[in-house]
Amino acid sequence: MISEEFPDDRRGRAIAGLHMVAFLGVTAAGLTYAFMADSRFGWRGMYLLGILPLVLIAFLRRGLRETARFSACERARIAAGHARKEFWPAIRNCLTPFAGPYRSRLLLVAALWNSIGLIGGPTVTYFSLYTRRDHGWTSHQVAMVLILAYFMGSIGSMISGLMMDRLGRRFTTSFFYAMSACSMYFLFSSDSYAAIMAGEILTMFAYQAARTATSALSTELFPTAIRATGYSLCVQVIGQVCWMLSPVVIGLLSKPLGGLGNASSLFAIGPFIGIFVVLFLIPETRGKTLEELSPNIDELPTTSDTE
């Protein structure tokens, strides 16, 4: 919605602003973790508390409106006499539009999310276990570092937005991908409290900045008719495979490789795969309209065309 509503020259900063707001929730979680982890509920109590914000959705939904681009797309559909697809048939055929000119973009953007997911999966999943079990940290120490790390992640998102609008998406994405890889390797190969803390802060700074840049590309490289579907598939479905599987693989490798840190640090290679994709296969999107970046929208295949 942000990508469709904001001016082309400020789109990167606007998307960065959305990522920065997420820091509020992470801060609340970090402050709560120190007390919840030592209570009778344990870490599982955090999931119970996480249900409460969902109640806000009922109120937020009333104040949202459709974007101008989506509304225009709907008017064009109605004028052409095309009926809106039923929900379940639309779900079954959600991949149909990507059988055409946007199939390669779907795969490329999903590859980017998987490459940076090799940073997020190990870091988010194992930082607490790595510090508490392997290095003897207290829950309060973990909470403090997590708050600092996500605060710096918020700053990283802001800087990423500024860099995207000034220096371009490709440079910004590649820069923060490389930084996140080096930082995560440093994090999981360090032993002292200060080094691990610095590694976590730098990793989260670069990781959140990289996610912001990848989010911008994910919304810009699909036309309005399939933008939400493309973004969802890339970010939450196909692009989550490495994020989900990397902790499992690390768990299996930690014993034969001599520890959780040794196994986790191997996955720092992931962003370098993403850098190759960005530099050689992804077009620069800075300053261009969404229509310029996603042409031939009227030529996308529909379900009726393929039956």
Side-chain angles (χ1 to χ4, degrees), residues 50-159:
I51 296 174
L52 298 178
L54 295 178
V55 178
L56 293 174
I57 294 177
F59 300 96
L60 294 174
R61 182 178 179 276
R62 298 175 183 273
L64 289 176
R65 61 175 176 82
E66 297 294 353
T67 66
R69 279 187 166 92
F70 181 82
S71 297
C73 188
E74 284 293 279
R75 289 194 296 270
R77 177 185 63 78
I78 294 172
H82 296 156
R84 180 187 290 275
K85 298 181 180 67
E86 296 294 331
F87 179 75
W88 289 115
I91 292 294
R92 287 196 298 269
N93 295 289
C94 66
L95 291 176
T96 300
F98 299 98
Y102 294 102
R103 175 178 54 192
S104 60
R105 288 190 178 182
L106 176 71
L107 297 176
L108 290 174
V109 176
L112 291 182
W113 281 106
N114 277 297
S115 68
I116 198 63
L118 292 177
I119 298 295
T123 303
V124 174
T125 303
Y126 284 124
F127 175 74
S128 297
L129 182 63
Y130 174 66
T131 52
R132 296 197 65 180
R133 187 190 67 183
D134 296 358
H135 295 280
W137 286 26
T138 66
S139 58
H140 289 275
Q141 287 177 315
V142 173
M144 184 192 71
V145 172
L146 284 176
I147 292 172
L148 288 174
Y150 276 94
F151 173 76
M152 290 306 297
S154 180
I155 300 300
S157 292
M158 178 182 68
I159 293 175

Side-chain angles (χ1 to χ4, degrees), residues 200-221:
E200 170 69 4
I201 291 172
L202 287 173
T203 300
M204 199 54 61
F205 172 86
Y207 172 66
Q208 295 297 345
R211 278 179 52 86
T212 299
T214 311
S215 291
L217 291 171
S218 301
T219 60
E220 293 171 334
L221 293 178

Side-chain angles (χ1 to χ4, degrees), residues 27 63 136 146 152 241 264 276 279 290 307:
T27 302
L146 284 176
M152 290 306 297
V241 174
S264 298
F276 175 85
L279 294 180
L290 297 178
E307 291 176 343

Side-chain angles (χ1 to χ4, degrees), residues 138-186:
T138 66
S139 58
H140 289 275
Q141 287 177 315
V142 173
M144 184 192 71
V145 172
L146 284 176
I147 292 172
L148 288 174
Y150 276 94
F151 173 76
M152 290 306 297
S154 180
I155 300 300
S157 292
M158 178 182 68
I159 293 175
S160 178
L162 292 171
M163 289 177 61
M164 281 193 288
D165 287 337
R166 292 178 180 270
L167 303 176
R169 272 53 163 171
R170 288 172 35 158
F171 172 82
T172 303
T173 305
S174 300
F175 177 81
F176 285 115
Y177 272 37
M179 184 177 180
S180 65
C182 295
S183 299
M184 192 188 86
Y185 183 84
F186 177 76

Side-chain angles (χ1 to χ4, degrees), residues 270-294:
F272 290 105
I273 300 172
I275 291 173
F276 175 85
V277 173
V278 169
L279 294 180
F280 294 100
L281 301 173
I282 296 291
E284 179 56 66
T285 62
R286 180 174 68 97
K288 297 181 180 180
T289 67
L290 297 178
E291 287 70 27
E292 286 181 276
L293 294 169
S294 305

Side-chain angles (χ1 to χ4, degrees), residues 18 46 81 88 98 139 146 148 156 185 188 225 231 238 265 268 287 301-302:
L18 176 66
M46 296 294 293
W88 289 115
F98 299 98
S139 58
L146 284 176
L148 288 174
Y185 183 84
F188 285 108
Y231 185 89
I238 306 174
S265 61
T302 62

